[in-house]
Amino acid sequence: MIPFNKPYMTGAELEAIAQAHANGHLSGDGQFTKRCHGWLEERLGCARALLTHSCTAALEMAALLLDLGPGDEVILPSFTFVSTANAFVLRGAVPVFVDIRADTLNLDESLIEAAITPRTRAICVVHYAGVACEMDEIMDIAQRHGLVVIEDAAQGILSTYRGRPLGSIGALAALSFHETKNIISGEGGALLVNDVTFAARAEVIREKGTNRSQFFRGQVDKYTWVDIGSSYLPGEITAAFLYAQMQHADGITDARLALWNRYHAAFSAHEERGQVRRPIVPAHCTHNAHMYYLLFDSLDARTRAIASMKADGVSAVFHYIPLHSAPAGRRCGRAAGDMAVTDRVSETLLRLPLWLPDLDVDRVIASVARALDA
Ligand SMILES: *Cc1c(COP(=O)(O)O)cnc(C)c1O
C-alpha cells in the first residue's frame, strides 16, 4: 500500500538531537530554539518568531493577544482545519464563516465586507495548499474596518505572495511543523509577529504569563506573574529536530515541487477531457508543493476513484468536513451567506500522496488514470 503520508527525515536530525542532549538544556528557549527563531526571522522576514508546540497553540496565542472575548467575531473560511476556528471559540468569540474562491480554494475576499459587523475584530486567512490568499485586498479591507489580520500559514512555509513570504504579511501568523507538513518536528509550530506592538506580550503569554524571557535577558532582576498565559513553548529536543530540518528546507521544497510538477503534467490531458480539475496557482504566487489535489465532478465520482485507487494499493484522502456544517461549528459559529463553493469542494476534492524521498509517483498517476477511465 502506498500510504497517504510519510514523515520525511533528512538524517541530520539525530546529530542535532545528540547535540541538544550534550548541551544538557532540555526545556524550551535554549540554543536550538534560538537558532530556529533566527532562521524564521531571516527567511520569512517576520519581526519576531516564537516556536510553539503546535500551530494550534500559535493560533490560541494570537486569540489571547487580541484580547478576544464573548461575542467578538472573527471572519474565517469554513474550508479549513478545526484549529483555525477553535482558537477563537476558546475565547468565547464567534467564528463567522465566509465562502472560498473556486480557483485557489482560499477565502473569497470579495465576500468579506458583507460579513463584517460592529463585533468583527479580526480576519483569519488560511493559505490553502501553500497558495496565498489575495493579501493586498484583504489587508486593505482590514485597514479600512480597523480589523487585525491573522495568517494561518500552517501549510505555507516558503511560499510567497507578490514576492513576500507567507506569514510575513498579517499582524500575526501561525506555522505548523506537524509531521504532515513540509518542514516537521513531529508536533510543532511557530507564532510569527509582524506588528511589533504584540511582540513583548507574546513572549509573556508563551511563558505562562510571566516575564521570564526578560529575566533571562537580564532586563529585569526577578521574574513574576504579569499577565494571563500558558505554556506554549517546545523543548530543546523538538527544536533540535526542527533546526536540522530547516537546514534542508530548500531541498525539501524543491523535491516536493518536482513531484507536484510530475502530477500536474500527468493530469493535464485528463483536465482537457473534463475529467478532473487541477490546482490553480495564480501568477503572482509561488507555492511550496505542500499538497496535490484533484477536483472531481461529483461526490460519486470521487467515491469511486477512492475505491478504485484503494484496490490498486494507493491511499488518497479527502478533507475538510466544512466547519459551518460540523456539530461544533453549528453550535459556536455562523455562516455569512452562501457556502456553495465550500460545500462542493469538500465533496469533490481528493488529495494524492506527496511525500519524500521515494514515493512511486508513476504508480499513483497510473492508478488515478485507471480510476478516471473506468
Ligand atoms: C495542520 C493545520 C493546522 C494545525 O497544525 P498543528 O501544528 O497540528 O496544530 C491548523 N491549520 C491548518 C490550515 C492546518 O493545515
Side-chain angles (χ1 to χ4, degrees):
M1 192 78 183
I2 295 183
F4 173 67
N5 185 60
K6 251 193 195 179
Y8 175 57
M9 283 164 271
T10 67
E13 294 85 357
L14 283 177
E15 200 182 310
I17 288 170
Q19 184 61 52
H21 187 277
N23 289 348
H25 175 142
L26 297 181
S27 60
D29 281 342
Q31 226 179 74
F32 280 104
T33 303
K34 291 195 176 91
R35 286 184 197 166
C36 290
H37 289 171
W39 188 90
L40 289 168
E41 286 162 13
E42 190 191 315
R43 289 301 304 269
L44 305 186
C46 55
R48 190 87 175 79
L50 293 167
L51 290 194
T52 56
H53 50 72
S54 63
C55 176
T56 302
L59 289 166
E60 288 176 19
M61 287 180 67
L64 285 165
L65 282 165
L66 263 54
D67 280 321
L68 293 177
D72 285 341
E73 296 178 356
V74 179
I75 289 171
L76 52 108
S78 170
F79 189 67
T80 182
F81 188 62
V82 294
S83 297
T84 320
N86 253 335
F88 306 112
V89 172
L90 277 167
R91 315 276 19 110
V94 178
V96 174
F97 302 114
V98 166
D99 208 2
I100 50 174
R101 296 171 58 109
D103 54 1
T104 57
L105 316 186
N106 282 327
L107 196 61
D108 186 340
E109 67 282 356
S110 73
L111 303 175
I112 291 175
E113 282 194 286
I116 294 173
T117 74
R119 298 305 306 265
T120 309
R121 298 280 317 281
I123 303 169
C124 186
V125 301
V126 177
H127 304 298
Y128 183 71
V131 176
C133 297
E134 287 306 325
M135 293 309 291
D136 281 350
E137 286 79 0
I138 292 168
M139 295 303 288
D140 187 54
I141 293 167
Q143 188 166 26
R144 273 189 278 117
H145 294 270
L147 309 177
V148 179
V149 173
I150 301 164
E151 298 176 71
D152 179 341
Q155 304 175 6
I157 193 159
L158 299 181
S159 293
T160 65
Y161 169 78
R162 299 193 190 281
R164 301 168 68 188
L166 300 190
S168 70
I169 304 169
L172 298 164
L175 299 178
S176 175
F177 304 116
H178 185 265
E179 74 166 38
T180 52
K181 303 302 200 282
N182 287 19
I183 307 300
I184 63 174
S185 59
E187 302 283 351
L191 177 75
L192 308 181
V193 180
N194 298 310
D195 177 344
V196 292
T197 60
F198 289 117
R201 193 163 174 238
E203 280 187 350
V204 168
I205 286 173
R206 178 168 168 271
E207 267 285 18
K208 301 95 184 163
T210 72
N211 55 358
R212 189 170 172 170
S213 303
Q214 282 180 294
F215 173 71
F216 283 139
R217 286 195 298 263
Q219 293 163 335
V220 291
D221 58 11
K222 58 181 180 299
Y223 86 85
T224 186
W225 185 22
V226 295
D227 201 339
I228 57 167
S230 188
S231 183
Y232 287 118
L233 64 172
E236 276 287 287
I237 301 286
T238 298
F241 190 107
L242 180 61
Y243 189 66
Q245 288 259 322
M246 286 171 166
Q247 302 316 296
H248 291 84
D250 293 311
I252 289 171
T253 306
D254 290 347
R256 294 185 70 94
L257 278 165
L259 298 180
W260 196 99
N261 289 331
R262 278 169 69 192
Y263 276 144
H264 209 55
F267 300 129
S268 155
H270 295 285
E271 186 176 70
E272 274 167 34
R273 290 201 289 275
Q275 293 172 306
V276 285
R277 206 212 79 187
R278 299 177 301 161
I280 293 170
V281 181
H284 53 277
C285 302
T286 65
H287 74 105
N288 60 4
H290 173 60
M291 190 191 300
Y292 199 88
Y293 64 83
L294 293 170
L295 290 167
F296 287 74
D297 275 347
S298 64
L299 172 60
D300 192 45
R302 184 183 72 181
T303 306
R304 280 188 274 111
I306 292 173
S308 167
M309 292 175 70
K310 193 174 169 200
D312 286 341
V314 177
S315 174
V317 305
F318 59 83
H319 71 178
Y320 300 99
I321 308 295
L323 299 184
H324 73 274
S325 55
R330 283 213 296 263
R331 204 161 58 238
C332 307
R334 70 179 163 79
D338 192 54
M339 290 286 141
V341 183
T342 297
D343 288 331
R344 186 173 76 244
V345 166
S346 115
E347 290 191 342
T348 55
L349 181 139
L350 186 66
R351 298 178 62 184
L352 303 183
L354 205 174
W355 43 261
L356 304 175
D358 54 1
L359 171 66
D360 189 347
V361 173
D362 291 328
R363 210 178 118 197
V364 181
I365 291 170
S367 178
V368 171
R370 248 190 314 278
L372 289 175
D373 295 331

